[in-house]
Amino acid sequence: MTAGFVEVADRVYVRREPLLRVNVTLVVGADEALLVDTLSSAAQAAELADAVRAVTDRPLTVVNTHHHYDHCFGNAVLADDPPRPVYAHELAAAALREQPERLRREAYAELRHEHPTLAAELADTPLLAPTHTVRIETDLDLGGRRVLLRHPGRGHTDADLVVHVPDADVLVAGDLVEQSGPPAFEDSYPLQWPDAVADLLRLTTARTVVVPGHGDPVDVEFVRAQHTELVRLAWLIRAAHTGSAPPERVAAEAPFGARAALVAAHRGYLELNGTA
């Protein structure tokens, strides 16, 4: 994908940032446009703003699918001057409002060895907390075009939102669905993640275009297959915990590869122990 957006359905555009393969989705209505996620740094967000303006000059509303840096650290560039609404789940908004420096430190630590340039950019990026919060769901009207923001439950984080564009049959899934690699479990709730994906699947049809957090857009069959793997992972975690087996036992048998599954097993054990 080039630096610009690609239209994946009627007036719904996707742009993939090449370094981390993060997807940004732009939904254009008659009166306003909706931008889903804002990337990792002010520099990335400035390029994103240029790409948006190449598609539309309508006023923007921003949505963060969750509070991880690669989906929201560009908020200030896209929504602060002039001020524009920024929506997120209430827990994501609280994290960005109350603990911005913790989020920045964690992101810098994650990036500094493999992507030092991005880490440096991120360290100097001003952070903007969301202005509007979602608990379960919220409808937005972009001008003759309804968009649903929904929290399907805990999964990748405790604060995931999906974005449904019914008239285009598009679902933006954030990191609840991943195409370019295994799901990321570091802040996850792997025992509840299957239910969250089942919830978002209820918004789909046989022809829905699903935009994952990272990688290429996928169809519903891809999401169903990933859901099946998440169900199996959750079952393995529960069975191993019941049998007092170490998390490494789960990693040896689970889908998504040993490294991701080991992280998931540790997180799942925390859930079962009541400490997640």
Side-chain angles (χ1 to χ4, degrees):
M1 181 178 292
T2 65
F5 282 92
V6 171
E7 191 170 16
V8 298
D10 177 35
R11 292 171 295 146
V12 179
Y13 306 84
V14 174
R15 178 181 184 267
R16 188 167 66 240
E17 183 278 320
L19 186 64
L20 303 179
R21 303 190 73 187
V22 185
N23 286 319
V24 176
T25 303
L26 178 66
V27 184
V28 180
D31 300 328
E32 298 184 14
L34 183 72
L35 186 69
V36 185
D37 289 335
T38 61
L39 301 178
S40 302
S41 70
Q44 287 188 349
E47 292 183 1
L48 174 59
D50 290 340
V52 169
R53 291 307 168 211
V55 175
T56 181
D57 61 358
R58 288 170 177 78
L60 282 181
T61 294
V62 171
V63 176
N64 298 146
T65 57
H66 58 293
H67 53 285
H68 287 164
Y69 68 90
D70 49 335
H71 297 267
C72 65
F73 273 23
N75 283 357
V77 172
L78 275 304
D80 196 31
D81 186 16
R84 297 300 305 162
V86 181
Y87 285 80
H89 185 267
E90 58 188 9
L91 295 179
L96 281 159
R97 181 177 60 251
E98 298 168 9
Q99 304 179 65
E101 293 312 311
R102 176 184 67 81
L103 295 176
R104 190 196 305 276
R105 286 194 304 272
E106 291 174 354
Y108 182 85
E110 179 180 331
L111 291 170
R112 64 191 182 96
H113 294 300
E114 291 190 18
H115 304 293
T117 300
L118 180 57
E121 291 176 4
L122 177 151
D124 292 331
T125 292
L127 303 187
L128 178 69
T131 58
H132 294 63
T133 61
V134 179
R135 177 168 292 179
I136 302 297
E137 64 180 39
T138 295
D139 280 309
L140 302 179
D141 184 357
L142 304 182
R145 176 164 244 184
R146 171 181 169 267
V147 176
L148 173 70
L149 313 182
R150 179 167 175 79
H151 172 56
R154 290 174 166 179
H156 174 65
T157 70
D158 58 0
D160 299 300
L161 286 185
V162 300
V163 180
H164 185 217
V165 190
D167 69 344
D169 204 2
V170 172
L171 182 70
V172 184
D175 284 2
L176 285 166
V177 176
E178 295 289 28
Q179 186 276 332
S180 63
F185 291 102
E186 283 76 7
D187 292 329
S188 73
Y189 296 81
L191 305 183
Q192 299 172 61
W193 197 327
D195 292 337
V197 175
D199 185 277
L200 70 84
L201 278 167
R202 286 191 278 273
L203 298 172
T204 65
T205 72
R207 297 174 299 280
T208 301
V209 175
V210 179
V211 182
H214 301 251
D216 298 328
V218 299
D219 60 17
V220 174
E221 288 308 310
F222 179 96
V223 180
R224 287 179 179 148
Q226 195 159 97
H227 175 257
T228 298
E229 292 183 310
L230 288 164
V231 169
R232 173 168 168 73
L233 174 63
W235 183 87
L236 288 168
I237 291 170
R238 290 184 186 277
H241 186 271
T242 299
S244 300
E248 288 76 11
R249 178 75 59 81
V250 177
E253 302 178 21
F256 304 122
R259 181 183 178 279
L262 181 60
V263 176
H266 281 293
R267 288 290 301 178
Y269 278 31
L270 291 176
E271 285 186 83
L272 291 166
N273 293 335
T275 54

